[in-house]
Amino acid sequence: MSLSSDIEEFRSIVSKIVDQLEEINSSSRTIPETDVNQLSRKFSGLMDNLAEVDRQLRSATDVLEDVRSRWG
């Protein structure tokens, strides 16, 4: 892979993370209006989304470490 493609892969992952965090932020803003009976479901969904962001952050870190080790 070239430096450009390595950087683009990293930026693509970061862009997806930002999009997901915006979705999480938007969903979390609706917590005050959420019916008490639905709070557990909402929290579970938020936790699942945050776990996915965590996985993606680890992936982005791995990609960046690879870029740094190959390209300095």
Side-chain angles (χ1 to χ4, degrees):
M1 288 177 77
S2 69
L3 176 58
S4 302
S5 61
D6 286 346
I7 291 170
E8 189 54 40
E9 179 183 5
F10 172 74
R11 292 184 70 225
S12 174
I13 294 169
V14 170
S15 179
K16 289 177 186 175
I17 292 168
V18 169
D19 290 345
Q20 282 193 282
L21 286 172
E22 288 174 353
E23 288 177 25
I24 291 166
N25 183 42
S26 178
S27 180
S28 72
R29 288 182 181 171
T30 66
I31 291 172
E33 299 98 44
T34 303
D35 186 72
V36 171
N37 297 329
Q38 296 297 315
L39 282 175
S40 179
R41 184 173 166 203
K42 172 150 314 260
F43 293 150
S44 291
L46 288 168
M47 291 294 293
D48 289 346
N49 289 336
L50 286 169
E52 178 59 26
V53 167
D54 183 53
R55 285 189 289 279
Q56 290 180 354
L57 280 170
R58 291 174 197 272
S59 178
T61 299
D62 291 344
V63 168
L64 190 56
E65 285 176 357
D66 288 345
V67 169
R68 185 174 60 178
S69 70
R70 276 188 272 167
W71 302 103

